[in-house]
Each structure stands twice: as C-alpha cells, then as structure tokens.
Amino acid sequence: MARRKQTVTMWQVAERAGVSQATVSLVLNNVEGNRVAEATRNRVLDAVKDLDYRTNAFAKSLRSGESGMIGFISDEVASAPFAGQLLKGAQLAAWETGNVILSVDTYNEPDLEAAAIDMMRSYRVRGVVYASMYHRLVELPASLDGIPTVIVNAQDRAGTVPSVFPDEELGGYAATRHLIEAGHTRIAMINIQDVDSDLPAGIGRLAGFRRALAEAGIAERPDWIRHGSGIVEDGLEITTALLTADDRPTAIFCGNDRTAWGAYRAIERLGLSVPDDCAIVGFDNHEMIAPYLDPGLTTVELPYEQMARAGLEILLAGGGEQPSRTPIECTLIPRGSVSKAKVPS
C-alpha cells in the first residue's frame, strides 16, 4: 500500500527558510505594509516551492471572513450536454479573477438545494451563481438571503437580485430576418410551449418572429403559428400538417433545434428537401444536433458562456444598488438549411 504523503507545515517552511512562522505568514498572506526584506521573502518562497507547501484555504477563510470560492447552484446544468457551457464560463471567469467555483446540481430537489446552500455558507463563499438549465422565472430560496447572488439563464420572479439571461426576442427576430433576407415571405413558426405558458423563451422568440414580419410588411398568418412542446415528435407532426395543406409555407422558424430535427424528418418523409422545398431555422445551436443534420441547421446560438461571465462580473462588482436585468445577445449561426426563396412561376 502506498504511503500517504505527510502534510507540510508552516513551521517546516519557517525552519527551512531560517525565519519565524510569523514571517512566513506575512509573506504568504502578502500583508500590506510588512517590512520583510526582499531576500528573506525569496528564501520563504523558495522553501515553499522546495517543500511543496499548500496553505489551508479553509482556515484562512475562517480568519479573514472571506474565501476565494464562488458557489454555483443549478438544477441540471453541470450534467446537461449543452447547458454545461454555463459552468465552463463560470469556471473560466472565476479562475481569471483568482477564484474557484464550488458547484452543485440539485436536480430540483429542495433538500439537496438546502444542503448545498448550507455547505456554501460554511465555506464562506464570496457569492452564489444560481443557474438554470433553461430560461424560466425562478424563486430564490430564502436561505440565500444575505449571500450576494446573481441568477443566470433565468430571471428572478421577485426582482430582488440581478438576472442575466438570453435575449430571446432579439434571437427570434434574427432568425426570422434571415429567412426574410433570403426572399421568404411565407414563413411559419413552431413554438416550444403552449400559448398560455409564462416561460420567457417561447414568449420572446415569438415576439421576435412577429416583430420581423411586421417590419418587413408581411402579414401574420395565425394558422402558421403553431405551438408544440419542444420535442422532435412535435416538429415531425406539425411540419407534416403545415406542408400537406393546400396553402403551405416555404420556410419554418422552429423554436428549438429538436423541433427543427423533427421538421427535417417530416420533409424527408414527404419526399421534399431542405432547403429547396422548405427552409428551416432552429434555436439553441445544440452541439449534438445542429451541425449533424443534413444539410447543417441554420440556428441561433444561446450565449451560455457569455451569460456566465456577465453574471460573475456583476457578482464580483457587488451587483450595484438596483437589481439589474441583463439580456445577452444570441448569435445566428448560418449553415445549409436556408437558401434563396424560389420565385413563383
């Protein structure tokens, strides 16, 4: 059995450098105004390196009341295939500012969430990023009171803390404008939620779709605005209905990439092709779907990493006097699923 490496103590560092433990502490904590000579400081640092000494960050946080840790509490972000970019962005931004992320996925379990918050309080985190796998309205747990908090990829229903979220309306507008600029005027939309849903994602994307049509002077067709649930099967069923009608669209804006995948399947089953018979634009830029459809799916990318970075900046800056609402632009990713509309013969 391998022997466990013995922990090096500050006393051993002091002995190696030929100084007192107090001098080692002054050097390692970079105490302002200390009068440690440069040569002595270098001896301490050399001893630290030679002995591979590690400071006790937890003990240091108990003494100072601060730590270099930032809590990251989410529903399923860390385990989601594409929303995981939120955690990546938070980790990178934290590292660049001399901090580390303490992350917990709660899977919407209240007991697990409560335990995670208790743990983060015990570690005296500098603040908490409260993140969601999808854009929704959330209610912060009361146990976060007193901890600097920012919500990412969601919005605070009560408006008491800063929120950073995707600009869904601008994304829906960009997707629809792309179709219009390709010459399409017969454009349908398959949304990802019921008409009565309060989820900001579908509400914003539909608002952007309508704004683009209105600006272009294209009359909205209520029968061409359909409501699904964001799954492949809905895309298949609704696209089939739209394209087998006597009066059919030449382009469809799908509220997410899974719906667009279903639209592709419907078009193929009908003996038609993308984009010649029907152009398709999605939303999400799902890394496991959009690049691999044939042709590649033109879609709008959710700004996961940018949202996380913006959230960290707000948190570390103190959040300001008034809770902010910060929409982050979603970028159009052109691929092969849109071509110029055919001129009627």
Side-chain angles (χ1 to χ4, degrees), residues 166-319:
D167 193 332
E168 308 284 6
E169 180 173 346
L170 186 58
Y173 175 84
T176 311
R177 280 296 310 172
H178 186 67
L179 292 168
I180 293 170
E181 289 168 1
H184 292 277
T185 59
R186 302 172 60 78
I187 307 171
M189 179 183 178
I190 305 175
N191 210 344
I192 55 174
Q193 59 202 49
D194 295 337
V195 66
D196 296 326
S197 172
D198 68 350
L199 290 179
I203 292 171
R205 295 170 198 185
L206 177 57
F209 172 77
R210 285 174 162 155
R211 177 157 68 94
L213 291 184
E215 280 189 10
I218 300 172
E220 183 181 311
R221 290 276 301 265
D223 57 323
W224 284 358
I225 298 177
R226 303 294 180 93
H227 296 272
S229 58
I231 61 175
V232 174
E233 290 76 12
D234 285 348
L236 172 60
E237 179 181 343
I238 295 171
T239 300
T240 300
L242 286 168
L243 297 186
T244 53
D246 292 335
D247 189 20
R248 73 188 196 190
T250 64
I252 302 174
F253 167 37
C254 295
N256 68 3
D257 291 350
R258 286 179 299 223
T259 301
W261 184 5
Y264 270 62
R265 290 176 57 189
I267 290 167
E268 182 179 11
R269 286 187 182 184
L270 293 171
L272 305 174
S273 68
V274 178
D276 293 338
D277 296 299
C278 186
I280 302 291
V281 176
F283 207 111
D284 286 348
N285 195 30
H286 194 305
E287 62 185 20
M288 301 302 293
I289 297 175
Y292 300 107
L293 294 176
D294 186 18
L297 176 64
T298 295
T299 186
V300 177
E301 184 172 61
L302 284 169
Y304 290 115
E305 186 171 334
Q306 298 94 316
M307 287 190 289
R309 285 182 172 275
L312 258 292
E313 289 175 6
I314 292 170
L315 190 66
L316 295 176

Side-chain angles (χ1 to χ4, degrees), residues 42-57:
N42 288 337
R43 288 207 314 275
V44 170
L45 295 178
D46 287 343
V48 166
K49 182 178 180 181
D50 292 343
L51 296 173
D52 194 24
Y53 175 70
R54 297 289 186 271
T55 59
N56 188 330

Side-chain angles (χ1 to χ4, degrees), residues 127-147:
V128 167
V129 175
Y130 194 83
S132 174
M133 186 177 68
Y134 63 94
H135 188 182
R136 58 193 175 100
L137 301 175
V138 299
E139 296 179 1
L140 282 179
S143 52
L144 278 174
D145 288 350
I147 303 178

